[in-house]
Amino acid sequence: MESIIQEYREYQSVIKGYTPKVVLGTERELKKLTKHLEEHSLNFQSVKLVDLENYCIERTEGKSLGYRNLIVSQTRSFFTYLKQQEYCFDNPSIRLSYTNLDTHQALPEVASLEEIQDCLKELRRQVNSFLGRRQFAPIRKRNLTLFALMYATGIRAGEAANLLLSDINLGGTGSQYSGW
């Protein structure tokens, strides 16, 4: 199993172009996975989905959801590689889910339609207000536009923050919403 991990490390470095830090972190994690499999008399060919789920649960107990997702992602990528290289015939990790490991996790709260409409009204009021300093008018317009974009499309704040002007279709071929 050690030689397969070394091959995977080279694959990540050369083919995928991952940074040395990512490659080293993945190698460390895969060594822990192989140790876990050996302790349970398993190998890459005999491991089942439930074994991988149990490993991920044990490995990430008390850790953040982001860390849990990292472990799942590393495991899934590795088993995809194993199948591509014909080290195993089945990829049990393909059904390994990022979300089903913690059934007690609460969903985030979502603003009601009324709360969103109130926010839009307030942002519109600020844009149209002459009471504030005029130098802030472009910032208020930007805020209204970003809020309306996020509400209308469902994109995340980080995705909206990373938008470039070139990402926007100014041709007007999409649907128009005149409510803003």
Side-chain angles (χ1 to χ4, degrees), residues 57-176:
I57 289 169
E58 288 174 25
R59 185 77 185 91
T60 62
E61 190 171 348
K63 305 286 186 187
S64 71
L65 186 59
Y67 183 76
R68 185 174 296 174
N69 288 341
L70 174 67
I71 300 302
V72 169
S73 178
Q74 289 173 333
T75 304
R76 288 178 72 176
S77 295
F78 181 64
F79 274 90
T80 299
Y81 171 81
L82 291 176
K83 185 167 184 207
Q84 288 172 346
Q85 300 301 313
E86 299 180 352
Y87 286 116
C88 61
F89 299 108
D90 185 32
N91 181 354
S93 73
I94 199 90
R95 295 175 299 281
L96 186 59
S97 173
Y98 295 99
T99 57
N100 74 349
L101 296 179
D102 189 0
T103 57
H104 300 90
Q105 181 181 349
L107 292 174
E109 287 188 36
V110 178
S112 70
L113 180 60
E114 184 178 300
E115 291 170 321
I116 291 171
Q117 288 173 339
D118 288 345
C119 286
L120 283 169
K121 284 178 191 173
E122 176 59 24
L123 287 168
R124 265 192 240 109
R125 188 195 65 73
Q126 289 178 12
V127 167
N128 296 329
S129 171
F130 292 107
L131 300 175
R133 295 171 57 184
R134 293 185 84 57
Q135 68 199 44
F136 294 120
I139 294 171
R140 291 179 181 143
K141 288 178 182 176
R142 179 208 60 196
N143 292 346
L144 173 61
T145 304
L146 282 172
F147 187 85
L149 174 73
M150 290 169 38
Y151 170 65
T153 63
I155 65 172
R156 298 177 186 99
E159 293 169 326
N162 290 324
L163 280 176
L164 302 173
L165 191 57
S166 61
D167 295 330
I168 301 169
N169 178 3
L170 298 174
T173 58
S175 64
Q176 300 291 322

Side-chain angles (χ1 to χ4, degrees), residues 44-59:
F44 299 141
Q45 295 81 16
S46 64
V47 69
K48 303 286 184 229
L49 174 63
V50 68
D51 301 317
L52 294 176
E53 286 175 335
N54 288 336
Y55 169 75
C56 289
I57 289 169
E58 288 174 25
R59 185 77 185 91

